[in-house]
Amino acid sequence: MFFPGTIKDNLDIFSSNTVEMIEAGATRTGIWPLICAKGGLGAAMSADTWSAGEKQLFCLTRALLRRPCGVLLIDELSGR
């Protein structure tokens, strides 16, 4: 789910992270270069300009920034 506002607002919904923490989380999931290409954390969020895979990485970054106890990733197996 994406909300009106900036990319930063959508990644850090409760404003509990520093810019450095957000950058580290986005770097960890691999979407930091994409965020920079879209204008940085202060750019307006437009979910229509993100692919399905990019949206998944965005939401994973958001989850990591909430500092969960753990994240379980499940992917479907093809050909079985």
Side-chain angles (χ1 to χ4, degrees):
M1 180 167 234
F2 298 94
F3 309 99
T6 65
I7 291 174
K8 180 184 181 300
D9 295 337
N10 275 270
L11 282 173
D12 189 23
I13 297 170
F14 299 107
S15 298
S16 58
N17 294 282
T18 65
V19 170
E20 292 79 13
M21 293 165 72
I22 296 170
E23 181 179 346
T27 298
R28 189 172 180 192
T29 59
I31 64 163
W32 182 247
L34 183 61
I35 290 171
C36 292
K38 292 185 179 287
L41 293 173
M45 182 66 193
S46 177
D48 297 338
T49 64
W50 296 73
S51 72
E54 291 166 346
K55 288 177 184 177
Q56 289 176 338
L57 289 172
F58 191 97
C59 292
L60 177 60
T61 304
R62 182 189 296 159
L64 291 173
L65 289 172
R66 296 282 320 270
R67 293 183 272 302
C69 297
V71 175
L72 174 63
L73 297 176
I74 300 174
D75 194 9
E76 60 191 74
L77 296 174
S78 60
R80 293 187 184 223

